Amino acid sequence: MRTSCIVIVCAAIAMSCVSAPEPAREPPPASAQQGSSDGSTSQAYKDRAVELVQGGSQGGSTGGAAGSSAAATTGSASGDAVDVPPPAPGVMTPEEEAFLNNYLARLQYMVYYDEAAGIDERNAKVAVNQANRYLLEKLGLSVVDFDQIEKNKKDQQAAYQSETGGSIDLIQYLAQKYNADVYVEVSFSSTPSSSGGKFYATAQGSMKIYDTSTAQLLGSVAFQSPQVMSTVSSDAAVANAVAASVWSAMPKMTEQTKVLVKNSMSRGIRYEVVIQNTPDSRQISTLRRALSRVVREVEQISYSPAETKLALYSFKSRDKIEDAMYDAADKAGMLDLYLLYSRGKAFTFNSGL
């Protein structure tokens, strides 16, 4: 009898377990939701409801992403500086491309003649003036007049020696003073002849293109004139031949210069910086690191307690480079850094220490 009762009870329990539905989860009463002063119980129910709707694994993943996003937002909102890596070598940002195209369209030239070639000064002046005429009339550029160069070769001797110590050529120095991006050296020879009371001449030579900052030879353009005639004199025939040959070579020279300069600027425009009075090499290290955040590349050429030389590569104007130097100097503890003089893309500062 006792055994059969036990069997009946167990069977009844089993049937109730199988057939009875799971009671619905009801939210606790409002009093229970407000049981905690900080609302944590209420928030727990809300979180559980989201889990049941979205699924446990999805809920956890969403929470992690939200947390990461919040952390990132907090980090950026904190004001901490984030270093942006510079573009890879040879890759330019749209801003850098725009700067480079504008720079190439406004290249400044200084044309002079090769003094070592033994050229008659009158014909040299004809060649330089004809090149300048093309730059003025065809490209709308400002030029440095032949007579102005001749005058400054004499007047700037003292400043040239003081600033460079003769370490660079005088013509390169003057090109920097005039803010020329390139300087062009014209060299030529002429072949005169006469017949039947008329005078003939041909001229042939080359234009060498140099980078003003480094004096690096970028390239050269050869030229030759057809035979020209003058009824006045042999000298007049030679002058006409020189003028004709230079004029005909100028389009090729200016176009080739743009290509050569662009090819040489994969890292940016090269600026030379000299800082006098640099007793602390650690400050110079801090200065370099600060500059590397705003220019393409910083190269230390030399260091001594008396003087440090740097080369900065950047797609920025001269004014922006000068501003960057002051900002970097402040970070390096050289608060009194000041500019002594600048010429072209070369700057000389004193650390103020």
Side-chain angles (χ1 to χ4, degrees):
M1 180 68 177
R2 182 177 299 173
T3 303
S4 62
C5 290
I6 293 171
V7 170
I8 292 171
V9 171
C10 290
I13 293 172
M15 291 177 63
S16 68
C17 291
V18 171
S19 60
E22 181 181 357
R25 294 177 181 266
E26 294 183 0
S31 60
Q33 293 179 15
Q34 297 172 357
S36 173
S37 61
D38 61 2
S40 60
T41 304
S42 174
Q43 186 60 45
Y45 275 97
K46 292 178 181 178
D47 292 345
R48 178 59 179 159
V50 171
E51 262 191 9
L52 291 172
V53 173
Q54 296 182 348
S57 61
Q58 292 178 352
S61 173
T62 304
S68 300
S69 176
T73 303
T74 304
S76 62
S78 66
D80 295 338
V82 178
D83 289 341
V84 179
V91 178
M92 290 185 290
T93 65
E95 293 78 10
E96 289 175 336
E97 287 186 359
F99 176 88
L100 178 58
N101 291 334
N102 185 53
Y103 178 84
L104 294 174
R106 298 167 57 186
L107 279 176
Q108 294 297 313
Y109 300 80
M110 189 185 89
V111 183
Y112 199 58
Y113 72 101
D114 183 0
E115 295 177 281
I119 301 171
D120 180 82
E121 189 170 319
R122 290 173 299 175
N123 291 329
K125 186 173 182 177
V126 169
V128 172
N129 286 345
Q130 190 74 336
N132 286 341
R133 176 172 161 247
Y134 181 91
L135 295 173
L136 280 166
E137 295 180 5
K138 297 297 183 180
L139 301 182
L141 299 174
S142 59
V143 298
V144 185
D145 183 66
F146 180 89
D147 293 331
Q148 190 176 359
I149 297 175
E150 290 292 295
K151 181 177 184 299
N152 278 278
K153 281 171 59 180
K154 301 173 182 178
D155 296 345
Q156 295 289 327
Q157 278 289 344
Y160 162 69
Q161 288 295 333
S162 173
E163 293 180 23
T164 70
S167 59
I168 64 174
D169 187 75
L170 177 58
I171 296 302
Q172 181 191 355
Y173 170 80
L174 291 177
Q176 291 179 352
K177 293 287 284 188
Y178 291 125
N179 291 327
D181 299 298
V182 295
Y183 65 95
V184 181
E185 242 181 26
V186 183
S187 178
F188 58 87
S189 61
S190 59
T191 306
S193 62
S194 61
S195 176
K198 296 180 181 179
F199 305 93
Y200 302 89
T202 58
Q204 52 280 324
S206 65
M207 296 181 181
K208 292 183 178 179
I209 307 159
Y210 293 91
D211 180 89
T212 301
S213 297
T214 63
Q216 176 187 358
L217 176 64
L218 297 175
S220 64
V221 174
F223 60 82
Q224 181 168 357
S225 73
Q227 188 177 66
V228 297
M229 184 268 293
S230 171
T231 59
V232 178
S233 66
S234 179
D235 289 342
V238 169
N240 291 339
V242 169
S245 60
V246 169
W247 182 268
S248 64
M250 286 299 292
K252 184 177 180 181
M253 188 277 288
T254 53
E255 287 304 312
Q256 184 168 322
T257 298
K258 291 179 183 179
V259 173
L260 294 169
V261 170
K262 185 176 183 178
N263 291 342
S264 71
M265 288 176 58
S266 60
R267 295 188 291 174
I269 301 173
R270 186 180 191 274
Y271 294 94
E272 292 186 354
V273 175
V274 175
I275 309 170
Q276 296 178 352
N277 190 24
T278 53
D280 189 346
S281 62
R282 293 175 66 88
Q283 284 184 310
I284 296 300
S285 175
T286 303
L287 177 76
R288 288 199 316 269
R289 283 181 278 124
L291 286 170
S292 68
R293 298 187 184 101
V294 293
V295 301
R296 269 298 187 110
E297 189 174 332
V298 180
E299 179 183 317
Q300 184 164 309
I301 300 172
S302 64
Y303 170 81
S304 75
E307 181 181 273
T308 296
K309 292 183 179 180
L310 303 174
L312 309 182
Y313 296 87
S314 178
F315 293 98
K316 296 179 185 290
S317 65
R318 286 186 292 267
D319 292 342
K320 296 294 184 183
I321 294 299
E322 184 180 347
D323 293 343
M325 282 297 301
Y326 295 130
D327 292 340
D330 287 347
K331 293 180 176 66
M334 292 186 283
L335 304 179
D336 295 324
L337 179 108
Y338 60 93
L339 182 66
L340 287 172
Y341 50 83
S342 67
R343 58 178 191 276
K345 301 177 186 68
F347 299 87
T348 298
F349 294 90
N350 189 291
S351 67
L353 298 174

